[in-house]
Amino acid sequence: MDDQIREWEAFEKAHPIIVENRLTEPHPIIWQTAKRIGFAFDPSIPTPPTDDRWFNIDVSPERAERALCIANAFVKACELRGFALRPCASAGPDGAIAVLIDGSSIPIRLLEQGHPSPHLSLEASGTWNDRMSRPLTKRLNSILLTLRKMVARSQAWQREQERYEHHMAELHRTRDELRVQVEAEQKAVDQLLLEAENWKQAQSIRAYITAVEATPARRGKRKERAAWVTWAHAQADRLDPLCKSLPSVLDIPRWRYRELHHCEVLNEDGSIERIC
């Protein structure tokens, strides 16, 4: 970027912008502007080609020609540097021109302000005042250089911002992917541990059943023990992840039978509705 700025500085030094004292060679844009503000040209000045574009100028009749001369030099300097001049809705009434520098549109206007000592001011992403010590006629090169630098800095910042946002989005995407992987893996591990614990409990229940069966049954309790053994084996099979088992009442979701809270009611379809 520093090399580019040095190139621009060298160009401005080699191409000083000359502002006429009298408006004798108006650019078509300035001709159209003059008509809009009621400035009358010398009849001897040839009429340039028609152009609907115009420069936003708001000055008193006393300063109209000076403002038009400054705007005329500014417009020609922009074209020499390859800057497009396009109507822009935000530039002023009826779409007065804005200067397009490297794709960035900058509204421009010349106005009269200051009291009791009125002066011209050029506004273009900043304000430059026409003073005796620093007249606008001598500052157009530095103004255009400043606008170029301003656009370059803004676009460099925008590129850096886009790079940063892309980088941060990529970091978040990577974190999200990693989170999904970790959660999936943890869920699988938790399921594995649950299945291993259930299998262990199932083996413990079966060992206990074997021990119970090895113990002599009390008189008259053989049928009860046989029923219990069948039931206990079913519970072991229900816990054992390696076995198929019959449905159990313990498999029913808790919401189907839990007590209702004080602010809940039971709907006809069996669902629970919160009312407070």
Side-chain angles (χ1 to χ4, degrees):
M1 183 173 174
D2 290 341
D3 290 341
Q4 182 70 79
I5 290 176
R6 282 192 287 271
E7 182 180 328
W8 293 337
E9 290 172 342
F11 182 93
E12 295 301 335
K13 186 175 181 179
H15 297 82
I17 300 172
I18 307 301
V19 179
E20 299 176 288
N21 291 324
R22 305 291 296 178
L23 193 58
T24 58
E25 298 180 4
H27 187 281
I29 291 176
I30 302 306
W31 185 278
Q32 178 69 15
T33 304
K35 288 170 57 179
R36 291 182 68 93
I37 66 174
F39 178 81
F41 283 103
D42 187 318
S44 64
I45 297 177
T47 302
T50 302
D51 197 317
D52 293 332
R53 297 172 297 170
W54 58 283
F55 198 111
N56 189 1
I57 292 180
D58 183 11
V59 299
S60 63
E62 294 77 15
R63 291 175 177 78
E65 186 166 19
R66 180 172 176 80
L68 288 167
C69 287
I70 292 172
N72 193 48
F74 186 90
V75 165
K76 291 179 178 180
C78 286
E79 289 189 339
L80 178 63
R81 288 153 181 77
F83 303 158
L85 297 163
R86 296 180 180 175
C88 176
S90 64
D94 302 328
I97 60 168
V99 57
L100 195 68
I101 300 178
D102 198 15
S104 296
S105 181
I106 304 174
I108 52 175
R109 69 169 180 159
L110 264 170
L111 68 156
E112 184 176 326
Q113 57 185 1
H115 184 79
S117 301
H119 61 272
L120 297 179
S121 291
L122 175 65
E123 293 185 349
S125 292
T127 301
W128 290 267
N129 296 315
D130 188 31
R131 302 292 192 184
M132 290 289 292
S133 58
R134 302 187 69 193
L136 282 174
T137 55
K138 303 295 184 182
R139 301 174 67 191
L140 296 184
N141 284 98
S142 65
I143 290 172
L144 285 172
L145 178 60
T146 297
L147 293 180
R148 273 182 157 176
K149 291 178 180 179
M150 189 182 304
V151 168
R153 284 194 297 268
S154 175
Q155 293 183 347
W157 179 88
Q158 183 64 31
R159 288 192 296 269
E160 177 58 25
Q161 188 68 15
E162 290 173 355
R163 184 208 65 78
Y164 170 78
E165 290 175 358
H166 176 76
H167 174 69
M168 294 306 297
E170 186 65 17
L171 283 181
H172 283 290
R173 186 192 64 78
T174 302
R175 287 170 60 88
D176 291 343
E177 287 184 354
L178 181 59
R179 186 183 307 111
V180 170
Q181 293 175 2
V182 169
E183 289 175 351
E185 187 71 6
Q186 187 61 56
K187 184 177 180 180
V189 170
D190 291 344
Q191 182 62 28
L192 174 63
L193 293 174
L194 177 62
E195 290 177 1
E197 182 61 27
N198 288 343
W199 178 84
K200 182 178 178 181
Q201 289 184 10
Q203 301 309 309
S204 179
I205 290 172
R206 291 184 181 119
Y208 177 66
I209 293 171
T210 300
V212 170
E213 288 179 318
T215 303
R218 297 179 184 177
R219 184 176 296 179
K221 299 293 184 179
R222 288 194 181 121
K223 289 184 178 181
E224 290 182 10
R225 173 182 283 189
W228 178 87
V229 167
T230 300
W231 172 84
H233 274 298
Q235 299 310 308
D237 291 345
R238 186 178 66 83
L239 289 172
D240 193 339
L242 304 180
C243 289
K244 291 184 178 180
S245 62
L246 295 175
S248 168
V249 69
L250 297 178
D251 298 327
I252 298 174
R254 185 174 177 277
W255 67 266
R256 294 283 301 276
Y257 58 84
R258 69 170 175 80
E259 292 185 4
L260 300 180
H261 298 154
H262 72 280
C263 58
E264 295 177 332
V265 294
L266 188 64
N267 294 322
E268 290 186 23
D269 61 359
S271 63
I272 297 173
E273 182 179 353
R274 188 179 180 86
I275 60 174
C276 61

